[in-house]
Amino acid sequence: MTAAWIGAGAAGVTAVVAAVGERRRHRRDDPDRVGVLDWRSIQLFAILALLLCVSVALNS
């Protein structure tokens, strides 16, 4: 049960970092520069992992 909460916390931190990365990508001066990571996908999967971990933690 504790491992699920730790996983939820890690996924939450990852989602916040991805949101910051996506915001920085939208606000950069040179929009033609190619980014290395797809922050939107990382944020999506982190939020899905967060929901899954919270669900497991609450139901166990």
Side-chain angles (χ1 to χ4, degrees), residues 6-23 38-51:
I6 292 171
V13 169
T14 303
V16 169
V17 168
V20 170
E22 182 68 16
R23 183 173 190 277
D38 182 17
W39 291 110
R40 243 179 295 171
S41 295
I42 293 171
Q43 186 178 22
L44 172 70
F45 291 125
I47 290 171
L48 289 175
L50 172 71
L51 292 174

Side-chain angles (χ1 to χ4, degrees), residues 17-58:
V17 168
V20 170
E22 182 68 16
R23 183 173 190 277
R24 288 185 65 204
R25 185 184 73 81
H26 276 291
R27 296 178 49 87
R28 68 177 160 213
D29 293 331
D30 185 10
D32 292 331
R33 281 192 342 204
V34 177
V36 177
L37 298 174
D38 182 17
W39 291 110
R40 243 179 295 171
S41 295
I42 293 171
Q43 186 178 22
L44 172 70
F45 291 125
I47 290 171
L48 289 175
L50 172 71
L51 292 174
L52 179 69
C53 288
V54 168
S55 176
V56 167
L58 290 176

